[in-house]
Amino acid sequence: MLFCLAFSTAIGSLAPPSSAAEQRAASSRAKEAEILALVQRLGSDDYFVRRDAEQQLLQIGPDAFDALKKAERADDLEVASRASYILQQLRVQWSRGDDPLEVRQLLNRYDELPDERRTAVIGRLAQLPHRQGLAALARSARFDASAEVARRGALAVLEMDLGNLEAADHLIERELGASRRSSVNWLRTLVVELRDPQAATSRWRQHVEEEARLLADDSDETTWPLLVRLWDHELKHGNARGTVVETFAVLTHRIETTRTIQDQPIGGLLFALDWCLKHERWRVLEMIEGRYADLIRGSRQLIYYLAAAYDAQGKNDLAAQTAEAAFDLLADDDEARSEIAAALALLGHFEWAEREWQYVIDNFPAVD
């Protein structure tokens, strides 16, 4: 299978490239084909073939990283064990001479740290002033042994404000090489976004959907909080462009995914309404209200959020009527009413919150 892929890739690269970009792409495809063939030879019955493939992969170095990580999970135990051995021998140059001193200090013996400590290093790199940790974070997205930690490195870059950083796209691109890891692909899309925001929109959708599928399949490469952070960037991207349909699509995907993966019927809706309220995206909110009218009518908290949105738009009478409908909706749980009151207070609607708390005082026995 790998030989077929390698052969077809190599054949595809024989077409004469017509530009520098195509030449680079052809060279990359040829290199990938060579690496795949070498990885397959790690399972050869001939010791000398295995040994030669191992030495060549070591000479290729970091460019073989992705293929070797995938080979670690191969059904062929010989391939898996040799791939693991080669990865242990490959030494990633975590810090470079042009890195700031503090970055080099943080990356000292980085690859020897456990996952939790490397995650902590990523957090500290992200907090360095003037985005000094940008290149190192991109490096972690490419080379960290853990797919989850690599994603954390990529997300730390996504959460930086890079709009006014000159040559940020080239700085990121320099670190990525030919890797096809998910974390690296996110950063490639960020480079596209920095150059042409509209061109990145469909790519963010693909990344989020792929991540949600991994999570649904119980993959150990990602977690729910990581998916949420990726969603947050997709929303930030869409909101910056002022789109309506695209932003609605992002929010509905989050609503539906939360319902299926997290088994939370209204968790995603609460987020969506709160987001629209905070960002004053009233047209998007109308579309969500129309699509999920039945779910909203069955939840006191969702109705209250709608009331808050009406109030923010100056629709005072409609806000008061909607808040009254929320208060009147049957709820015999004092804890639920108290939680809703606390949420209303955070929204700044103290009158509605006080009424809920007063209802609890008047209608439920005191417990503390």
Side-chain angles (χ1 to χ4, degrees), residues 206 208-219 261:
Q206 291 171 4
V208 169
E209 289 176 350
E210 287 169 6
E211 205 69 4
R213 282 194 292 271
L214 280 176
L215 202 59
D217 293 339
D218 293 324
S219 169
I261 295 180

Side-chain angles (χ1 to χ4, degrees), residues 92-356:
V92 175
Q93 188 179 358
W94 285 108
S95 61
R96 297 177 179 165
D98 57 351
D99 286 332
L101 175 60
E102 192 167 359
V103 170
R104 282 181 273 141
Q105 290 173 337
L106 284 170
L107 292 176
N108 184 40
R109 305 179 75 136
Y110 175 85
D111 54 345
E112 298 176 18
L113 301 174
D115 289 4
E116 297 80 6
R117 294 281 302 280
R118 297 201 309 282
T119 297
V121 170
I122 285 171
R124 293 182 64 184
L125 287 169
Q127 292 169 5
L128 291 177
H130 312 300
R131 292 152 295 201
Q132 295 178 73
L134 174 60
L137 289 168
R139 224 168 287 152
S140 72
R142 181 182 179 188
F143 289 123
D144 198 286
S146 162
E148 181 180 336
V149 177
R151 280 166 163 78
R152 294 184 185 280
L155 286 166
V157 175
L158 296 186
E159 290 162 356
M160 286 181 166
D161 181 10
L162 300 175
N164 61 348
L165 181 63
E166 187 177 353
D169 53 344
H170 295 294
L171 185 60
I172 295 169
E173 207 168 32
R174 185 191 72 177
E175 299 291 343
L176 303 184
S179 174
R180 294 176 182 266
R181 300 182 90 181
S182 294
S183 49
V184 169
N185 287 335
W186 298 354
L187 295 185
R188 284 206 183 92
T189 298
L190 179 62
V191 169
V192 172
E193 180 183 309
L194 291 170
R195 295 170 180 171
D196 180 6
Q198 185 172 354
T201 301
S202 61
R203 297 190 183 197
W204 288 126
R205 176 100 308 248
Q206 291 171 4
H207 296 325
V208 169
E209 289 176 350
E210 287 169 6
E211 205 69 4
R213 282 194 292 271
L214 280 176
L215 202 59
D217 293 339
D218 293 324
S219 169
D220 60 1
E221 295 186 5
T222 191
T223 64
W224 180 260
L226 296 182
L227 173 59
V228 166
R229 289 171 67 186
L230 189 59
W231 261 323
D232 287 345
H233 183 82
E234 186 186 17
L235 268 176
K236 179 183 175 183
H237 170 73
N239 194 45
R241 297 184 57 236
T243 61
V244 173
V245 174
E246 291 166 7
T247 302
F248 173 71
V250 175
L251 288 170
T252 52
H253 181 250
R254 183 161 180 166
I255 291 166
E256 295 302 327
T257 306
T258 304
R259 291 174 69 182
T260 54
I261 295 180
Q262 294 291 91
D263 193 24
Q264 294 181 10
I266 68 166
L269 259 173
L270 278 173
F271 170 84
L273 296 185
D274 184 57
W275 186 90
C276 289
L277 178 59
K278 289 176 179 174
H279 292 83
E280 298 185 349
R281 298 301 302 274
W282 308 130
R283 178 63 187 126
V284 177
L285 185 139
E286 286 176 14
M287 295 169 71
I288 291 172
E289 183 183 358
R291 179 160 182 169
Y292 295 100
D294 290 341
L295 266 177
I296 292 171
R297 279 196 295 267
S299 165
R300 298 177 65 251
Q301 192 165 359
L302 291 174
I303 296 172
Y304 267 127
Y305 270 76
L306 269 188
Y310 295 147
D311 184 72
Q313 296 173 74
K315 301 176 181 178
N316 306 102
D317 292 342
L318 182 56
Q321 293 170 15
T322 306
E324 192 69 33
F327 180 76
D328 291 339
L329 196 66
L330 181 64
D332 294 326
D333 189 337
D334 58 331
E335 185 176 345
R337 279 196 181 265
S338 296
E339 289 176 356
I340 289 173
L344 291 171
L346 288 174
L347 289 174
H349 289 279
F350 302 109
E351 183 180 347
W352 299 346
E354 184 178 347
R355 184 168 61 168
E356 288 287 349

